[in-house]
Amino acid sequence: MYGLTLEQVREVRRVNACMICKSTESGFESGIFAVDHCHDSGIVRGALCQPCNLMLGNARDNIDVLLAAVKYLAKDHLAESWNQGPKRDQVLQERREASLTDRLERANMALSASQGRVRELEAILAAVDEEITTPARRRARDADAVGSFIASHISLATPDSLPVPASELRKVWSAWAGGAQCPVSSLADALYKLGGAQRKTSTGRYWVGIALRTSEAGAEAECTALEVRGRRAAGEVQATLTVAEQSEVHG
């Protein structure tokens, strides 16, 4: 096209607005802006929308014609004799009112579109804020609950303390929290910081280094079962530790 390579044509058309009127609509069915060139020299000048391309073509690329058109448009035509008279004043007033009404309607449409966009952005920001803050609020809530639970139900183990079954710990939590799910990870982290440690045996997981503070009624009701399970777990935990110590010695 006009002696340009395909890449050069693509470069000329790599625009998002007409180089004269700055319109982002090309006016062509293809949606592509026209490649404009000088008919005398063949120099490619740029990319234009259809109306501007036709304007230059109809003016025969004559600068004097186009400048005369600018002067013509800038002239105060209201002073012309044919625009005088009461009837003409009424017509012009109606046109001005219609123009102002049209501009107002377009401004309202633009405002409505902007407000809709603002609402969309607010919804997106609210969703992002919820996505960010909800986990943080949940962690803070869990931390508060864990702190209260430990303060009322957990103490450091004594030499006579039995290992605490992890299942029993969750059960006590459920009773204390009214059935609410136990934040296992947060609770475990807090117990580790308190000095507790988990041990896995054939009968399940147990906590050592901590002890449960149970009420007298709860202790009387569950004392026997807990003692049997605890002593059995204590033996298995001790056996596990002994094996580990021996492995370290032989290692």
Side-chain angles (χ1 to χ4, degrees):
M1 177 182 289
Y2 310 133
L4 300 179
T5 65
L6 180 59
E7 183 56 36
Q8 288 173 325
V9 172
R10 288 174 177 170
E11 183 178 357
V12 174
R13 284 177 166 166
R14 196 175 294 131
V15 297
N16 54 12
C18 172
M19 291 183 174
I20 292 179
C21 70
K22 309 305 179 185
S23 171
T24 56
E25 300 292 334
S26 74
F28 296 97
E29 291 185 3
S30 64
I32 301 174
F33 289 91
V35 175
D36 174 53
H37 73 293
C38 175
H39 292 275
D40 292 332
S41 65
I43 294 175
V44 174
R45 294 180 291 212
L48 303 177
C49 66
Q50 186 182 44
C52 290
N53 192 49
L54 289 174
M55 175 183 67
L56 295 186
N58 291 333
R60 299 174 295 282
D61 285 355
N62 190 313
I63 295 177
D64 292 334
V65 171
L66 293 171
L67 288 175
V70 171
K71 293 179 181 179
Y72 173 79
L73 291 175
K75 184 179 179 181
D76 181 14
H77 296 284
L78 185 60
E80 301 290 357
S81 59
W82 53 78
N83 284 321
Q84 306 303 313
K87 186 175 181 179
R88 191 60 184 157
D89 289 343
Q90 180 182 353
V91 171
L92 294 177
Q93 180 63 26
E94 291 174 353
R95 289 290 181 87
R96 282 193 291 269
E97 290 177 356
S99 176
L100 289 173
T101 300
D102 179 64
R103 290 171 61 186
L104 180 60
E105 289 178 352
R106 284 189 279 113
N108 286 333
M109 291 175 61
L111 177 60
S112 178
S114 298
Q115 290 173 338
R117 183 57 179 160
V118 168
R119 287 192 292 270
E120 289 179 8
L121 292 175
E122 287 176 344
I124 293 173
L125 289 174
V128 171
D129 180 66
E130 183 69 16
E131 185 175 344
I132 293 174
T133 60
T134 295
R137 286 197 298 267
R138 186 182 299 116
R139 287 193 298 269
R141 185 177 62 248
D142 289 348
D144 290 342
V146 166
S148 298
F149 175 76
I150 289 177
S152 60
H153 288 75
I154 303 295
S155 63
L156 292 176
T158 65
D160 298 330
S161 296
L162 299 175
V164 179
S167 59
E168 189 65 30
L169 188 63
R170 288 193 296 271
K171 185 184 195 182
V172 173
W173 169 280
S174 181
W176 172 78
Q181 185 176 2
C182 176
V184 177
S185 179
S186 298
L187 180 58
D189 289 342
L191 293 178
Y192 282 130
K193 291 178 182 178
L194 191 63
Q198 272 197 339
R199 297 288 184 265
K200 184 178 180 181
T201 70
S202 61
T203 56
R205 291 183 179 275
Y206 293 83
W207 280 95
V208 295
I210 62 166
L212 272 175
R213 297 177 186 168
T214 55
S215 64
E216 293 183 3
E220 291 176 0
E222 300 181 6
C223 179
T224 303
L226 282 175
E227 184 174 0
V228 171
R229 291 201 304 271
R231 293 192 182 284
R232 183 184 303 145
E236 294 186 0
V237 168
Q238 185 59 45
T240 302
L241 293 175
T242 301
V243 172
E245 291 172 354
Q246 291 177 349
S247 298
E248 289 179 0
V249 171
H250 292 301

